[in-house]
Amino acid sequence: MHFTKPAWVTHKDTSGNKGDSSKRLSIFSVHVHPDGSRIATGGLDAKVRIWSTKPILNPASELSGKPPKSLCTLTMHTGPVLCVRWAHSGRWLASGSDDEIVMIWDLDPSARGRVWGSDEVNVEGWRPMKRLPGHESDVTDLAWAPEDRYLASVGLDSQVLIWCGYTLERLRKLDQHQGFVKGVCWDPVGEFLATQSDDRSVKIWRTTDWGLEAEVTKPFEHSPGSTFFRRLSWSPDGAHITASNATNNKGFVFIAAVITRNTWTSDISLVGHENTVEVAAYNPHIFLRNPEQSVATANICSVVALGADDRSVSVWQTKSARPLIVAKEVFDRQIMDLNWSWDGLTLYAASSDGTIAVFHFEPEELEGIAPHSAQEQYLSKFGFTPPPIPEGYSHIPTRNPSLPPPSAQTQSTGFDHNQVNGNGTGERVNMLVAKRNNKKRLGLNSVPSASVNSGIGGGASSNGPKRAALVPAAQDAAMVVDSPPPSSSSFFPGPNEQPFADASTWSRQNDVDMGMGVPIDALDRPRKDEQRPPVFRTLGGDRPREFIPIREVAASGYPGSSSASLNLPVPAVLTRITTEVDGSDHVFECTYSEESGVAEVMFVNGKQTLWIDYLPCPALAIKATTSFCAVATQDGSVYVYSHSGRRLMPNLSLGSPCSLMDGAKNALLVITSSGQVYSWAVNKQTSFFAPVSLLPLLSSNASVTSATVRTNGCPVLNCSNGIVYSYEPNLNTFVKLTERWWSEGSDSWQGRQRSSSQTANRGIMSVVEGSISGALDEGAAEKPRPTWWSTALTLGHLETRLHSTRLLDSPNEYRQALLIYSKKIADEGFRAKAEELIKELCGPVYWRAPDDREVKWCPTVAGMSKRDLLKEVVLAQFAKSKTLGKLAMDYQDLLKKMANDDI
């Protein structure tokens, strides 16, 4: 799985306040176009924005800027846009807003240009085709029925409105909910509609007569009413609804409730999130438990994604009791919306922190995925016959749609005075558009609104901008849009001239070709007057990547370290070693051919080799960071390359083979089989400290189980005896970062802390302590302990953690440890320890400049000001203590005087 958060997908504050011009505004909804080429987002800025997905999924496209990242900005709403949903045909986009309006947008290739009132440019045109009034409060969710027969909208007016998906006239109002309605979804069969409300119920409606089929309340009896949405989803096999904001155990366990079709009971719960589940979204594909068997009820399962207020995303497969993945702390705030691409391999998530996240899966990670044709075959077994399509309507546009000629009055004034919906009572919104004639005048075209009284037989609006000529429904479900006539001034080439690029180059091939009239890759081609960039050669760049099977190679007799006092294990020689470069899709790889004896290293992107090099002997370990690539070979050498293949350091000869290697940014750590520890700053071509032997640590039959390095060069060595070591260059000795001993009495031991959503982005110390915590010894609690046992171990553990986080340059963890340590001292009332800590952080009263040689005091620790820590962390805790309150007040006054130079 590949994860990315495109920083350029954003809704920003453009209100004119310069101080907030770069502030990210909440994104409430995200939806991917059926052909996978675009996503639409709705945000707090009252705008709908359309983005290209190719720069999201393909780093090379993102760097090149082709196609453009932002395709279009739609600005007709006057309130925050809470929901955006593409029609299944891909031709229309529906948006719902705080302004109580549902807007339908239609593709208009001639509407590109600068966005009114801003510096943004629309490279793709979408025009407001119809405005659907009817709600009396915020529109919170939208859903298109199968085959776009209906559009359902729900809102904070507690109403569910059903619109015809063809005429866009309102058909029905369902008002049986007693609270805000915050979620809606359609049965893929087309037989039912489900809505979820703050009245703590999910209601199932029949589409045949719009009557209430069932009401489910049990999983929601104790659900909180504070969530922004209650977005639910129906499984693609029609068997289940997964509803958000449900609870178990009287509201103490947050779950997603799985409701079974026909019985409408909820006996299945998806448990694991630490806060309210806000949204559920099923993968549009059905999955086969056994791909070799036929499509049958017993062989079908589904994949569903959940987004919660604990800022995490989980993906579940219904055949398993545990989630496939759990992505912790994906965002800084709660998750608002989830949506899968039509190919079922990419999941998009939106958050109120103003960002989106994208999870792209490989087909083998979602085992058993079936084509959409299998789903259609399975759903046909339900035997449900949907109502007929309105006569003369289709979502399939024709070639060169002919619009009625404008009247003389329209030509002379630029206004459309014809009746809307044939009765003259409909609402009209005027939109400023450019007239395409020689005089280049500006005219006003009307955007028709839907009539709220006419039924399905009322017919379409006979005036105003038309989406296409009305033609009978075709048998083929794929939409075909031909290129514009030769006389058209459209910026975009037709699909026959500029077809979509091969989807395998950047995303999975879709099951259907939507035939959009505006292919995204048309923007990725240079214009005739644009010079093509020169193609530069690279070492080995013309050679395709070869995939060599991985197997172990017999030892070839290179010198080892048998004469040394230590003999650490050495990795086996393999025919291929691969590692991904941190934060990118580039791969660093080393291969070895036993027949030819050639060791080759290469840097590749996808299937393309960027550069290659050859080494005199096979590699044992490789590492790639954002700054360099390193190879350790069997003869005890280390080679360090830049990402362009240039050697950044001399070829290092260590005398014995590498046992362990790690890198972080510019730091490279190597531990040899003879037990020597090396740590280098690659960018400076210097070492962080002189080589040091592991012999003092491993003399008691302990072994190094893992080794990592911090960006400041400090090694982190996990040993089998439950102790984690590092090396302190200032003391020229190894130090204990932490050890399992603290778990016997420290109240601050990692294993004793209750998991919290705020600690999911764990620092190095949390990771280190978690790696050695293991299961707590229940018998240890029954052992007799001295009176001050727990207090002494807690203080000792926290003091050790302060030294360790300072050494490892982890400022956030240092601050947190200092906070807990100060609180513990304040709770116990240890004045001597408190005063000593204060003096250490405060420093000399008259200390001013760092060049004062008489006073050896550093004003910072772990990159933070000591006096700021004293004021904000330590004294704030001491001030709450009855015994230390006076001491805290005295030093608070002293700090104020020192800051004002009153001393």
Side-chain angles (χ1 to χ4, degrees):
M1 183 196 75
H2 297 280
F3 171 76
T4 183
K5 288 189 71 175
W8 43 268
V9 176
T10 177
H11 288 245
K12 290 187 177 181
D13 186 359
T14 58
S15 59
N17 187 346
K18 294 182 179 180
D20 294 331
S21 60
S22 61
K23 178 183 177 182
R24 285 181 178 269
L25 300 180
S26 297
I27 297 178
F28 296 116
S29 185
V30 62
H31 205 250
V32 59
H33 191 276
D35 70 2
S37 64
R38 306 156 172 82
I39 59 170
T41 58
L44 188 61
D45 57 355
K47 296 177 182 178
V48 177
R49 297 179 183 269
I50 300 177
W51 314 86
S52 173
T53 57
K54 187 171 182 180
I56 298 176
L57 302 175
N58 187 341
S61 176
E62 181 179 17
L63 293 175
S64 68
K66 295 183 179 180
K69 300 180 179 69
S70 176
L71 298 178
C72 192
T73 300
L74 312 178
T75 58
M76 287 291 289
H77 283 293
T78 60
V81 180
L82 304 182
C83 186
V84 288
R85 295 291 183 260
W86 296 100
H88 298 295
S89 66
R91 185 69 185 187
W92 290 353
L93 172 65
S95 60
S97 168
D98 239 355
D99 60 9
E100 307 175 5
I101 297 298
V102 176
M103 191 73 74
I104 306 298
W105 307 87
D106 186 27
L107 181 66
D108 183 6
S110 65
R112 72 181 187 94
R114 189 173 298 276
V115 180
W116 179 265
S118 76
D119 295 332
E120 300 178 38
V121 176
N122 287 341
V123 298
E124 179 174 287
W126 291 82
R127 65 183 176 91
M129 189 191 76
K130 199 120 182 181
R131 186 174 181 269
L132 308 182
H135 281 282
E136 299 172 4
S137 188
D138 306 6
V139 180
T140 55
D141 205 8
L142 299 165
W144 292 90
E147 299 180 353
D148 296 331
R149 291 178 180 273
Y150 306 107
L151 171 66
S153 62
V154 299
L156 300 189
D157 54 2
S158 304
Q159 296 180 359
V160 182
L161 300 185
I162 310 298
W163 312 83
C164 176
Y166 293 87
T167 67
L168 297 177
E169 306 300 329
R170 199 178 81 185
L171 303 179
R172 186 73 59 149
K173 179 173 72 173
L174 310 176
D175 55 3
Q176 297 185 33
H177 276 293
Q178 303 302 314
F180 300 154
V181 187
K182 297 181 176 179
V184 60
C185 68
W186 290 91
D187 166 23
V189 180
E191 187 176 3
F192 299 109
L193 170 73
T195 56
Q196 187 169 0
S197 165
D198 273 357
D199 62 8
R200 293 184 170 86
S201 74
V202 168
K203 295 185 186 296
I204 315 298
W205 313 85
R206 295 183 298 273
T207 60
T208 52
D209 59 0
W210 303 111
L212 184 63
E213 172 75 9
E215 182 178 22
V216 183
T217 59
K218 186 176 180 180
F220 316 105
E221 291 175 349
H222 302 282
S223 65
S226 57
T227 56
F228 214 94
F229 299 109
R230 292 175 180 256
R231 286 176 165 154
L232 67 171
S233 183
W234 211 306
S235 64
D237 61 352
H240 301 96
I241 304 170
T242 295
S244 59
N245 202 348
T247 59
N248 278 344
N249 197 17
K250 296 183 178 181
F252 289 98
V253 179
F254 301 103
I255 66 168
V258 181
I259 301 170
T260 305
R261 187 190 187 95
N262 293 331
T263 62
W264 311 119
T265 56
S266 177
D267 300 324
I268 304 173
S269 301
L270 303 180
V271 184
H273 283 283
E274 298 176 356
N275 209 330
T276 314
V277 177
E278 190 102 12
V279 54
Y282 271 98
N283 189 302
H285 286 256
I286 62 173
F287 290 77
L288 302 181
R289 298 173 184 266
N290 186 348
E292 297 180 357
Q293 296 181 3
S294 61
V295 179
T297 303
N299 193 35
I300 286 180
C301 61
S302 303
V303 170
V304 63
L306 305 179
D309 287 353
D310 61 2
R311 299 173 287 171
S312 64
V313 174
S314 61
V315 179
W316 305 71
Q317 196 162 25
T318 54
K319 69 178 182 180
S320 174
R322 295 183 177 274
L324 293 175
I325 67 160
V326 177
K328 292 278 189 178
E329 294 289 325
V330 178
F331 299 102
D332 295 330
R333 296 175 65 183
Q334 70 265 40
I335 294 165
M336 292 296 189
D337 205 5
L338 295 170
N339 185 243
W340 290 88
S341 61
W342 185 245
D343 64 7
L345 297 179
T346 308
L347 174 66
Y348 295 84
S351 168
S352 60
D353 67 4
T355 63
I356 72 165
V358 184
F359 306 84
H360 182 69
F361 297 86
E362 298 298 331
E364 55 269 17
E365 294 177 300
L366 298 178
E367 184 181 4
I369 188 168
H372 284 290
S373 57
Q375 178 196 17
E376 296 171 1
Q377 174 188 352
Y378 180 78
L379 294 180
S380 64
K381 297 180 180 179
F382 285 86
F384 177 75
T385 302
I389 296 174
E391 184 178 354
Y393 282 84
S394 172
H395 285 287
I396 306 175
T398 59
R399 174 186 294 269
N400 305 339
S402 58
L403 299 180
S407 64
Q409 187 178 13
T410 303
Q411 292 177 355
S412 62
T413 65
F415 286 91
D416 182 2
H417 292 279
N418 294 335
Q419 292 181 342
V420 180
N421 297 327
N423 55 21
T425 61
E427 184 177 1
R428 180 184 293 109
V429 178
N430 292 321
M431 178 184 64
L432 190 66
V433 298
K435 287 284 187 179
R436 294 187 178 275
N437 55 25
N438 295 332
K439 295 183 180 180
K440 297 184 178 179
R441 294 178 302 170
L442 293 179
L444 292 172
N445 283 354
S446 298
V447 180
S449 297
S451 169
V452 297
N453 297 321
S454 57
I456 194 170
S461 171
S462 60
N463 51 63
K466 302 288 185 178
R467 56 186 171 90
L470 303 178
V471 298
Q475 297 297 323
D476 188 0
M479 182 175 65
V480 180
V481 182
D482 292 319
S483 57
S487 61
S488 172
S489 59
S490 172
F491 169 73
F492 302 96
N496 297 331
E497 300 173 5
Q498 298 284 358
F500 282 101
D502 181 9
S504 63
T505 62
W506 62 281
S507 69
R508 292 287 299 170
Q509 180 67 39
N510 303 303
D511 284 353
V512 296
D513 177 12
M514 302 307 299
M516 290 295 294
V518 190
I520 290 292
D521 284 350
L523 306 174
D524 199 4
R525 299 172 183 262
R527 301 181 185 178
K528 295 181 179 180
D529 58 347
E530 181 181 351
Q531 292 184 355
R532 293 180 178 271
V535 179
F536 301 102
R537 297 182 63 197
T538 60
L539 184 62
D542 55 347
R543 194 187 70 175
R545 181 184 180 187
E546 298 179 2
F547 290 92
I548 301 174
I550 300 175
R551 59 183 180 83
E552 187 172 339
V553 178
S556 53
Y558 283 91
S561 58
S562 58
S563 60
S565 55
L566 285 179
N567 193 8
L568 302 183
V570 174
V573 176
L574 302 176
T575 54
R576 180 164 63 93
I577 312 174
T578 303
T579 184
E580 289 189 358
V581 179
D582 297 340
S584 76
D585 292 333
H586 292 81
V587 173
F588 186 51
E589 185 173 81
C590 185
T591 62
Y592 178 69
S593 172
E594 196 172 10
E595 292 77 11
S596 63
V598 174
E600 181 180 87
V601 291
M602 63 195 74
F603 195 69
V604 298
N605 181 16
K607 298 180 180 180
Q608 181 64 39
T609 303
L610 300 183
W611 57 265
I612 61 174
D613 195 18
Y614 300 98
L615 301 177
C617 64
L620 296 177
I622 61 175
K623 180 63 183 179
T625 73
T626 55
S627 301
F628 67 87
C629 305
V631 184
T633 57
Q634 197 176 26
D635 63 353
S637 299
V638 174
Y639 303 86
V640 183
Y641 300 90
S642 69
H643 286 182
S644 61
R646 189 174 61 89
R647 282 177 168 79
L648 294 177
M649 297 177 67
N651 299 336
L652 307 175
S653 180
L654 308 184
S656 56
C658 166
S659 178
L660 295 166
M661 183 166 69
D662 189 51
K665 290 188 177 179
N666 291 305
L668 173 62
L669 172 73
V670 174
I671 300 177
T672 66
S673 61
S674 60
Q676 292 292 312
V677 181
Y678 300 85
S679 183
W680 299 285
V682 173
N683 59 330
K684 299 179 181 178
Q685 297 193 31
T686 59
S687 62
F688 288 105
F689 51 82
V692 61
S693 175
L694 289 176
L695 186 61
L697 304 185
L698 307 182
S699 57
S700 57
N701 295 326
S703 61
V704 178
T705 57
S706 67
T708 58
V709 66
R710 297 287 289 167
T711 55
N712 63 351
C714 284
V716 180
L717 310 175
N718 279 58
C719 293
S720 58
N721 56 4
I723 303 176
V724 182
Y725 296 95
S726 186
Y727 187 78
E728 172 59 275
N730 294 329
L731 302 176
N732 293 325
T733 186
F734 286 100
V735 295
K736 292 182 179 180
L737 294 177
T738 189
E739 55 186 317
R740 198 176 293 139
W741 149 258
W742 300 121
S743 66
E744 297 190 14
S746 172
D747 295 334
S748 298
W749 180 250
Q750 183 72 20
R752 298 179 186 273
Q753 302 301 309
R754 184 176 179 179
S755 62
S756 170
S757 61
Q758 298 186 4
T759 60
N761 279 340
R762 300 191 301 169
I764 180 63
M765 279 305 299
S766 298
V767 173
V768 165
E769 289 191 353
S771 66
I772 62 172
S773 60
L776 294 177
D777 184 6
E778 297 180 357
E782 302 176 358
K783 295 181 182 179
R785 299 295 190 186
T787 304
W788 293 96
W789 174 265
S790 178
T791 302
L793 261 67
T794 301
L795 289 174
H797 176 217
L798 290 172
E799 289 163 357
T800 302
R801 187 183 287 180
L802 286 171
H803 290 296
S804 300
T805 51
R806 176 194 57 78
L807 176 62
L808 298 178
D809 193 21
S810 181
N812 291 335
E813 288 184 302
Y814 182 91
R815 186 186 182 96
Q816 182 67 16
L818 183 63
L819 175 66
I820 301 173
Y821 181 60
S822 303
K823 188 177 185 303
K824 185 67 176 177
I825 292 177
D827 292 343
E828 299 292 342
F830 294 152
R831 182 181 176 89
K833 283 181 177 286
E835 197 163 1
E836 190 175 89
L837 176 62
I838 291 174
K839 290 179 179 179
E840 177 185 329
L841 294 176
C842 182
V845 173
Y846 296 101
W847 185 91
R848 288 292 182 270
D851 58 353
D852 190 346
R853 299 182 180 179
E854 296 180 1
V855 180
K856 301 297 183 182
W857 180 75
C858 180
T860 61
V861 58
M864 299 177 291
S865 169
K866 287 183 177 179
R867 289 178 177 174
D868 287 347
L869 290 173
L870 174 61
K871 176 183 177 181
E872 299 169 4
V873 179
V874 178
L875 295 183
Q877 295 299 319
F878 290 173
K880 302 175 185 178
S881 171
K882 294 181 179 179
T883 57
L884 303 180
K886 179 64 169 59
L887 178 67
M889 292 177 61
D890 291 343
Y891 272 92
Q892 284 174 343
D893 293 339
L894 178 62
L895 286 176
K896 290 180 182 178
K897 293 179 180 179
M898 294 167 64
N900 297 328
D901 292 331
D902 292 339
I903 298 180

